[in-house]
Amino acid sequence: MGERTLAGRVLKGDRRAVARAISLVENGEAPPQLLDEVGKNLGGTFILGLTGPPGTGKSTLVDRLIAEYRRRKMKVGVIAVDPTSPITGGALLGDRVRMVQHTLDSGVFIRSMASRGWSGGLSGAVSEAIQILDAAGMKLVIIETVGIGQSDIEIMKIAHAVIVVTMPGLGDDVQVSKAGLMEIGDIYAVNKSDLPGADAMVINLLSVVRDMKGKSPPVIKVSALKGEGVDRLYDAAEAIRARFLSPEGEVMRLRSTRGMIVELAKRKLLSDLEGRASTRSAGLAARVAGHEITFEQAAELLADSQRKYRGAPVRGSDR
Ligand SMILES: Nc1nc2c(ncn2[C@@H]2O[C@H](COP(=O)(O)OP(=O)(O)O)[C@@H](O)[C@H]2O)c(=O)[nH]1
Ligand SMILES: [Mg+2]
């Protein structure tokens, strides 16, 4: 059926095959053979996450970082996870536009994945996409997410290093701390340093990240627009990658692998549940409507049938 051929082409780094494979994964239609082949041919890519509130300049910064890595001939994959629908476009297009200078470079693969409709399943699809890029020979995969919502935090658990991007004028970084971003950064970038208030933001951030963590991650002032400070951001990311490549990196690799396994398992359970839900929910809804059972009981029944179906302990199984 050509799956082997597709896998073969992915392993050779064929960008069209990679695009096709990621589409299959996104639609939950990837043939097991493809994922098997990919899984057997992983090279241990470094996963760099970039997150932060919308408009802070993440895509522009990713574009600059790609250039830094390409200058060193490193093959780079980028996945931009976008909250908007692929139909209405919006920021989705924006991400690609900001990185357009790299679209003709065969050493760079850029892909947007829309989070709409994926909810809990998104990180599973991202995990598979990362594996495809890894098997295709990318030594670095950059994941850009909009730092709002739980799935972002989950995706960032997969990354080996996380850069949280902020900018001046975010109002005492309330948005940043509210979104739970203060706990997940290995590096903090204060972008748009060409605008007033960047120094204050750095000082502010330094105090906050020191409080929340035992150690103090670097806080780096950059202007993606002017290309200032990008080299220092690159150096900070490379320092973490050097650790990743050393024996010490084993812990990082295991943590990320664990995250991926959990996300993939969640995705599998979710799609099974959705399958069952579509057949069972009509009956359950009628019983709720008839006041025979409560919403809570209906949900429990559906969950129970899923657990039984899976042959798992019905309740209280540990995680
Ligand atoms: N002044 C200034 N604007 C920037 C800088 N970096 C990005 N921008 C602008 O900020 C806007 C949002 O950038 P984008 O990269 O799409 O942000 P994202 O939503 O975080 O991915 C765009 O209009 C960029 O041109 C910067 O360093 N300085
Ligand atoms: Mg963006």
Side-chain angles (χ1 to χ4, degrees):
M1 293 286 288
E3 281 103 35
R4 281 185 185 281
T5 328
L6 181 62
R9 283 165 58 214
V10 166
L11 298 184
K12 286 207 177 76
D14 177 335
R15 291 206 298 171
R16 286 183 58 187
V18 168
R20 171 91 187 114
I22 294 179
S23 294
L24 289 171
V25 149
E26 223 174 356
N27 300 330
E29 291 166 355
Q33 302 96 301
L34 172 67
L35 296 174
D36 274 1
E37 279 301 304
V38 162
K40 280 182 205 144
N41 288 281
L42 299 177
T45 194
F46 182 66
I47 308 164
L48 178 63
L50 259 93
T51 189
T56 47
K58 295 179 295 297
S59 297
T60 316
L61 211 45
V62 169
D63 177 72
R64 293 287 188 178
L65 285 171
I66 296 171
E68 291 290 328
Y69 282 101
R70 290 306 291 153
R71 202 167 298 143
R72 281 95 173 169
K73 304 268 180 283
M74 193 144 139
K75 289 178 85 178
V76 184
V78 178
I79 299 171
V81 178
D82 203 282
T84 54
S85 108
I87 297 145
T88 57
L92 193 73
L93 186 65
D95 288 341
R96 289 224 200 92
V97 166
R98 313 248 189 272
M99 303 172 200
V100 75
Q101 60 161 318
H102 301 292
T103 48
L104 291 177
D105 180 347
S106 65
V108 180
F109 183 92
I110 299 169
R111 174 61 171 243
S112 297
M113 292 176 88
S115 62
R116 206 181 89 137
W118 273 108
S119 57
L122 176 69
S123 350
V126 169
S127 298
E128 286 173 339
I130 292 169
Q131 289 181 36
I132 289 167
L133 291 169
D134 183 334
M138 305 293 170
K139 297 291 172 235
L140 170 77
V141 175
I142 301 178
I143 313 287
E144 178 193 335
T145 72
V146 173
I148 39 172
Q150 192 52 37
S151 80
D152 289 301
I153 305 283
E154 274 160 11
I155 291 167
M156 288 302 139
K157 280 185 195 155
I158 293 166
H160 297 117
V162 174
I163 302 177
V164 173
V165 183
T166 67
M167 64 179 197
L170 271 187
D172 273 3
D173 57 74
V174 187
Q175 287 191 53
V176 178
S177 46
K178 217 172 33 193
L181 296 175
M182 302 319 280
E183 291 104 75
I184 62 166
D186 299 294
I187 301 166
Y188 287 81
V190 176
N191 189 36
K192 309 200 185 185
S193 62
D194 52 289
L195 300 180
D199 288 320
M201 184 77 186
V202 169
I203 291 164
N204 200 338
L205 218 45
L206 271 173
S207 67
V208 181
V209 291
R210 273 209 184 115
D211 283 349
M212 307 278 283
K213 290 187 141 199
K215 51 184 181 167
S216 51
V219 178
I220 298 168
K221 217 167 61 167
V222 285
S223 170
L225 196 70
K226 298 193 164 177
E228 287 164 9
V230 178
D231 50 343
R232 275 184 294 133
L233 188 61
Y234 167 84
D235 287 344
E238 277 299 275
I240 299 179
R241 195 170 69 93
R243 217 160 62 213
F244 168 80
L245 294 172
S246 79
E248 213 191 312
E250 189 60 22
V251 182
M252 294 157 86
R253 282 189 286 275
L254 283 176
R255 194 171 52 102
S256 162
T257 303
R258 233 180 88 189
M260 283 211 203
I261 294 169
V262 173
E263 292 311 317
L264 285 169
K266 266 200 245 173
R267 186 177 186 218
K268 287 181 197 299
L269 290 173
L270 205 71
S271 72
D272 285 355
L273 176 67
E274 274 160 8
R276 288 184 81 69
S278 66
T279 57
R280 290 214 51 187
S281 56
L284 290 168
R287 291 172 68 188
V288 171
H291 302 291
E292 192 192 322
I293 51 172
T294 64
F295 275 101
E296 202 61 37
Q297 286 164 335
E300 193 57 51
L301 281 170
L302 185 60
D304 269 357
S305 77
Q306 180 62 23
R307 292 180 193 120
K308 280 181 194 136
Y309 168 72
R310 277 276 168 183
V314 169
R315 259 173 215 249
S317 63
D318 61 354
R319 308 174 354 120

